Amino acid sequence: MQKTYSRINWENYPSEETPLNESNLNRMDFAIDEIDDRVIDLDTQKASVTVVDNLIASIDVDDDNTEFFSDEFGVLYNKDKTMLIRYPDESERESYIIPETVVVIWDSAFEDSDNLTSMIIPDSVVTIGESAFEDCDGIVTLKLSNNLATIGAYAFLDCTEITELIVPDSVTELGEGAFEDCAGLVTVLIGNGLEIISESAFEDCDEIVNLTLGNNIVVIDDYAFYDCHKLTHLVIPDSVVKIGEGAFEDIMNLKSVTFGKSVQVIGECAFEDCDNLKEIILPECVVTIGERAFYDCYSLESIVIGKNVSSVGAFAFSGCYKLLNFYFTGSQSEWNKVPKEIRDFVTVMQSTVYYNCSPKGEAYRFAISNPSRYTIKYKDGIVLHTKDNGMFPENVEIKWSSSD
């Protein structure tokens, strides 16, 4: 998702009657789009901004200015240097040390600073504003503040070279599209402070292989991980209650999903086009399965579904041509009460329904979390056998009992 800017008339901003404050600095920044191959020197309230080929080359503030300060690299701050307002995007520096006085990195502060390759944000920083590092496509190394609380919308949009991201436990707010299109991300670890992974937060991060979600996440919002193609295994924490629309849509290499024990809502298109999913084990707490939730998961062969499901959207399993086994946790009489959409699918596909099915406790959880080591097979009337010492043989089979 791309944001839009309102275009304004450069002639009006700023002027002798318009002091250089934070609001007007932003307006001036937007107005740069109106300038073609010109150098503009602005002298307002003893400050000057040099713009070269639509990029800010330097910002110089006179020592007598009562509101602003600029350092030797032409970086603009408020007077006490608690707010970094604008970094000159024409700067050729590959790194910049943010002073430990800074608490807030202002909206669009580093936007389009292509030459930066490393960014270490000091622990003094609490807030990163909207689009603060958008299109900084040279940054490879990113270290976030350990006291960071807020990451604004689109803060790191299109930072395509960052490979590893650790979101500290201190972060409680993650804006829409915060890391969207960070196409180089391979490893993402989200701390325990977040309760909501915002809309499109990691959309189109198609190189993510290692994803760890925090233990206090309640909502995974719409399109949060849409089109993250290379993700193969997904563990959803027990804290998650809602998975939003398209949250994991079009992850073609996804092979396994372990759902937490609190998920109630699986939104529309949540796992649509996850081509390599072979089985789905929904926890007993799932109540709603949205429209097209598992649409075109054409490798899907089996699903465990609980008796508490009360709403299933249209086409929830359409295109799942191999889905011939339904393992239902309730009785046959309870199956007759599940939403008609599921029963109609079973009838059309001539799928087999097994009743009174449930995983075999910790043994099952262990096997499902180690898919490379253990084979899980479903057969009627056979239960799990383990060694006396509690260890599992290399080829252990976890099986189902389906007595009515």
Side-chain angles (χ1 to χ4, degrees):
M1 294 186 181
Q2 299 295 324
K3 60 187 188 325
T4 58
Y5 295 120
S6 299
R7 300 179 73 81
I8 66 172
N9 186 348
W10 169 259
E11 301 298 330
N12 297 330
Y13 296 101
S15 68
E16 293 293 338
E17 292 76 32
T18 309
L20 184 61
N21 55 31
E22 293 161 14
S23 174
N24 290 320
L25 187 76
N26 282 333
R27 293 175 179 173
M28 179 192 67
D29 194 22
F30 299 160
I32 288 172
D33 288 339
E34 304 289 344
I35 306 167
D36 294 320
D37 301 323
R38 288 187 289 168
V39 176
I40 294 178
D41 290 311
L42 170 72
D43 187 10
T44 302
Q45 201 179 3
K46 297 182 178 179
S48 66
V49 177
T50 302
V51 179
V52 180
D53 291 341
N54 294 354
L55 297 175
I56 295 177
S58 66
I59 303 172
D60 299 301
V61 179
D62 192 281
D63 290 342
D64 294 337
N65 191 300
T66 58
E67 293 187 51
F68 298 98
F69 168 86
S70 65
D71 66 11
E72 65 269 33
F73 305 111
V75 181
L76 182 66
Y77 297 85
N78 64 342
K79 193 63 177 179
D80 62 4
K81 295 179 69 175
T82 56
M83 181 184 296
L84 193 158
I85 301 172
R86 196 68 166 97
Y87 178 87
D89 42 20
E90 181 67 359
S91 172
E92 295 182 357
R93 295 179 61 82
E94 294 184 356
S95 63
Y96 178 73
I97 299 175
I98 298 174
E100 294 186 358
T101 57
V102 174
V103 177
V104 175
I105 298 176
W106 192 251
D107 297 355
S108 301
F110 287 87
E111 186 173 357
D112 288 320
S113 298
D114 295 338
N115 291 320
L116 287 172
T117 61
S118 175
M119 178 53 59
I120 298 175
I121 299 174
D123 289 346
S124 59
V125 174
V126 174
T127 300
I128 296 176
E130 294 185 9
S131 301
F133 294 89
E134 181 177 339
D135 283 324
C136 291
D137 52 17
I139 294 179
V140 176
T141 303
L142 173 66
K143 169 68 169 62
L144 297 178
S145 161
N146 288 318
N147 294 307
L148 187 63
T150 301
I151 301 174
Y154 309 106
F156 294 91
L157 174 70
D158 275 332
C159 292
T160 55
E161 298 301 314
I162 299 172
T163 59
E164 181 180 66
L165 172 67
I166 299 176
V167 179
D169 291 345
S170 58
V171 174
T172 57
E173 183 178 348
L174 184 67
E176 178 180 346
F179 294 93
E180 184 178 348
D181 282 326
C182 289
L185 273 176
V186 175
T187 299
V188 174
L189 193 158
I190 299 175
N192 295 324
L194 271 179
E195 293 187 357
I196 299 174
I197 298 181
S198 61
E199 181 176 344
S200 300
F202 295 91
E203 181 176 340
D204 286 327
C205 294
D206 53 14
E207 293 293 321
I208 293 178
V209 175
N210 307 305
L211 175 64
T212 303
L213 302 177
N215 292 326
N216 289 310
I217 295 169
V218 177
V219 175
I220 300 174
D221 215 336
D222 300 348
Y223 305 104
F225 295 93
Y226 174 86
D227 212 18
C228 293
H229 291 316
K230 290 193 176 179
L231 189 63
T232 57
H233 301 291
L234 174 64
V235 177
I236 296 174
D238 287 341
S239 56
V240 173
V241 174
K242 178 183 178 182
I243 299 172
E245 179 178 343
F248 298 98
E249 183 179 349
D250 200 22
I251 303 182
M252 60 181 64
N253 290 306
L254 188 62
K255 295 180 180 179
S256 70
V257 180
T258 302
F259 289 90
K261 60 185 180 182
S262 300
V263 176
Q264 297 179 21
V265 177
I266 299 174
E268 295 181 14
C269 309
F271 293 91
E272 180 174 340
D273 286 326
C274 290
D275 301 345
N276 279 292
L277 271 179
K278 290 188 176 182
E279 67 172 10
I280 292 292
I281 302 163
L282 299 179
E284 193 77 19
C285 51
V286 172
V287 175
T288 300
I289 300 173
E291 183 176 329
R292 299 171 65 104
F294 296 96
Y295 185 90
D296 263 358
C297 293
Y298 55 73
S299 296
L300 193 60
E301 298 176 355
S302 66
I303 185 169
V304 179
I305 192 165
K307 59 188 176 182
N308 293 316
V309 173
S310 60
S311 175
V312 177
F315 311 110
F317 299 100
S318 292
C320 300
Y321 301 114
K322 296 181 180 180
L323 184 51
L324 300 178
N325 296 294
F326 278 76
Y327 297 90
F328 183 58
T329 63
S331 65
Q332 185 170 2
S333 60
E334 288 173 313
W335 171 259
N336 294 329
K337 298 176 184 178
V338 302
K340 185 174 182 292
E341 288 80 3
I342 294 181
R343 289 184 284 114
D344 286 349
F345 178 89
V346 167
T347 299
V348 171
M349 295 297 296
Q350 298 183 351
S351 302
T352 301
V353 179
Y354 299 89
Y355 307 107
N356 297 318
C357 296
S358 61
K360 303 303 172 189
E362 293 303 316
Y364 183 85
R365 284 186 172 274
F366 185 87
I368 197 68
S369 65
N370 291 271
S372 63
R373 294 181 60 197
Y374 301 106
T375 301
I376 300 171
K377 294 185 178 180
Y378 305 97
K379 291 184 180 179
D380 189 18
I382 303 176
V383 299
L384 170 70
H385 295 280
T386 64
K387 289 184 177 181
D388 291 340
N389 62 8
M391 300 298 292
F392 299 98
E394 282 299 315
N395 61 347
V396 66
E397 293 183 354
I398 310 295
K399 301 174 181 179
W400 290 90
S401 172
S402 60
S403 59
D404 192 303

